[in-house]
């Protein structure tokens, strides 16, 4: 569904006015666009929460959600894009130029008595929990772990070599937002569910104005939210795996 189409009256903006009984004066385009983008944020939250196997990305994007940067010897902290919502995978080139998958960690892991990580540099060969973060794999080498802190990735250990394009991050990101001047742009998710945006915009207006149609709009939003979750939870048949027991006859 296009964002705005005054000719056909079939755009999201026009449908919002239909639901809300509003117009360009009572509900200015700047307010509509702000609320449309808030609705996009809600949709993305629903999609990302529905199924981790669906690597969703806004269909308006013209590039892949993969970031690459150089590994720098003795550098532990690497900045990441602010439009990243969720990091799904981090890989590095080792000192031989082969790609290796890094294991995600959190600094709180080091507080757990159950933490039991082998490192030949530690007396006895193992960390056993309660380790200071500054002491964790603090000798430069080939990175094994990454920790996402704010807008940075911290590598453990930090690399002891340089590698051009040696750090690759796969991620899921914020939607491609609408601008007030947009007309033909469409929401970047399943087209048959785009009506959720106009419903949400209309509900925001009705809520702000204290209109009686709030409950009706809210219920329609709930219906569409469930439809969004159901659609993005769907597994195609080729992804469904049926496990059957293998019976051995030892008689």
């Amino acid at each position: 569904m296009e964002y705005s189409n005054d000719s056909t009256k079939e755009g999201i903006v026009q449908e919002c006015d239909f639901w809300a009984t509003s117009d360009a004066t009572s509900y200015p385009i700047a307010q509509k666009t702000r609320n449309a983008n808030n609705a996009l944020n809600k949709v993305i939250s629903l999609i990302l929460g529905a199924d981790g196997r669906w690597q969703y990305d806004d269909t308006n994007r013209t590039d892949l959600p993969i970031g690459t940067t150089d590994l720098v010897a003795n550098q532990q902290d690497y900045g990441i894009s602010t439009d990243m919502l969720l990091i799904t995978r981090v890989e590095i080139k080792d000192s031989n130029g082969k790609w290796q998958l890094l294991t995600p960690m959190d600094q709180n892991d080091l507080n757990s008595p159950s933490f039991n990580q082998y490192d030949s540099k530690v007396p006895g060969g193992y960390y056993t929990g309660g380790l200071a973060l500054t002491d964790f794999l603090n000798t430069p080498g080939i990175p094994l772990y990454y920790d996402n802190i704010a807008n940075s990735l911290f590598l453990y250990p930090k690399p002891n070599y340089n590698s051009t394009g040696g750090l690759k991050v796969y991620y899921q990101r914020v939607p491609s937002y609408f601008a007030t001047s947009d007309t033909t742009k469409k929401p970047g998710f399943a087209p048959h569910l785009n009506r959720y945006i106009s419903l949400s915009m209309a509900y925001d207006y009705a809520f702000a104005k204290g209109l009686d149609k709030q409950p009706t709009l809210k219920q329609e939003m709930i219906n569409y939210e469930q439809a969004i979750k159901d659609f993005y939870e769907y597994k195609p048949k080729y992804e469904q795996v049926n496990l059957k027991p293998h019976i051995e006859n030892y008689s």
Side-chain angles (χ1 to χ4, degrees):
M1 183 183 292
E2 293 179 336
Y3 185 56
S4 182
N5 192 322
D6 282 325
S7 298
T8 66
K9 304 299 182 183
E10 293 180 350
I12 289 172
V13 168
Q14 289 73 34
E15 188 172 68
C16 166
D17 283 334
F18 170 79
W19 290 115
T21 320
S22 57
D23 56 34
T25 301
S26 63
Y27 197 176
I29 189 62
Q31 295 178 9
K32 287 186 173 92
T33 303
R34 175 198 64 207
N35 293 337
N37 288 331
N38 286 334
L40 278 176
N41 286 334
K42 175 64 175 179
V43 170
I44 298 309
S45 295
L46 292 170
I47 292 173
L48 295 184
D51 184 11
R53 286 183 61 82
W54 189 300
Q55 298 300 312
Y56 169 80
D57 196 42
D58 192 302
T59 55
N60 290 294
R61 301 285 192 175
T62 58
D63 61 341
L64 292 173
I66 303 173
T68 303
T69 192
D70 297 339
L71 279 179
V72 180
N74 295 309
Q75 179 178 321
Q76 188 166 46
D77 177 2
Y78 295 81
I80 58 177
S81 172
T82 56
D83 72 349
M84 291 185 186
L85 286 175
L86 179 66
I87 293 174
T88 59
R89 186 180 182 93
V90 177
E91 299 176 354
I92 58 100
K93 285 182 183 177
D94 63 20
S95 54
N96 296 315
K98 293 184 178 180
W99 286 103
Q100 304 289 339
L101 177 66
L102 297 190
T103 301
M105 62 158 287
D106 185 85
Q107 55 186 276
N108 290 323
D109 294 340
L110 304 184
N111 300 334
S112 172
S114 64
F115 184 79
N116 191 26
Q117 174 62 44
Y118 180 77
D119 188 331
S120 61
K121 298 183 293 297
V122 177
Y126 285 89
Y127 296 117
T128 57
L131 181 72
L133 187 61
T134 53
D135 291 333
F136 177 62
L137 296 176
N138 58 3
T139 301
I142 298 175
L144 300 172
Y145 300 90
Y146 73 90
D147 188 11
N148 181 197
I149 303 175
N151 292 322
S152 292
L153 281 182
F154 285 77
L155 304 184
Y156 297 93
K158 54 189 171 184
N160 61 355
Y161 58 96
N162 297 312
S163 177
T164 302
L167 175 62
K168 187 179 293 184
V169 181
Y170 298 78
Y171 59 94
Q172 292 177 301
R173 54 190 165 181
V174 299
S176 177
Y177 293 113
F178 292 114
T180 56
S181 58
D182 280 331
T183 54
T184 59
K185 183 174 180 178
K186 300 177 182 180
F189 62 98
H192 68 289
L193 300 170
N194 286 177
R195 176 168 279 186
Y196 179 80
I197 304 298
S198 60
L199 284 167
S200 181
M201 294 161 65
Y203 174 79
D204 287 343
Y205 178 84
F207 182 82
K209 300 296 184 180
L211 303 183
D212 292 340
K213 58 182 64 182
Q214 289 179 61
T216 301
L217 291 169
K218 185 64 174 179
Q219 185 56 55
E220 279 300 297
M221 288 174 61
I222 291 172
N223 293 341
Y224 266 84
E225 287 171 3
Q226 187 60 54
I228 290 168
K229 289 189 285 188
D230 289 345
F231 179 78
Y232 283 96
E233 284 173 353
Y234 170 72
K235 297 283 197 312
K237 287 184 178 180
Y238 65 82
E239 284 195 3
Q240 295 175 357
V241 178
N242 294 318
L243 299 179
K244 297 180 179 180
H246 177 70
I247 301 175
E248 298 276 356
N249 187 349
Y250 293 99
S251 57

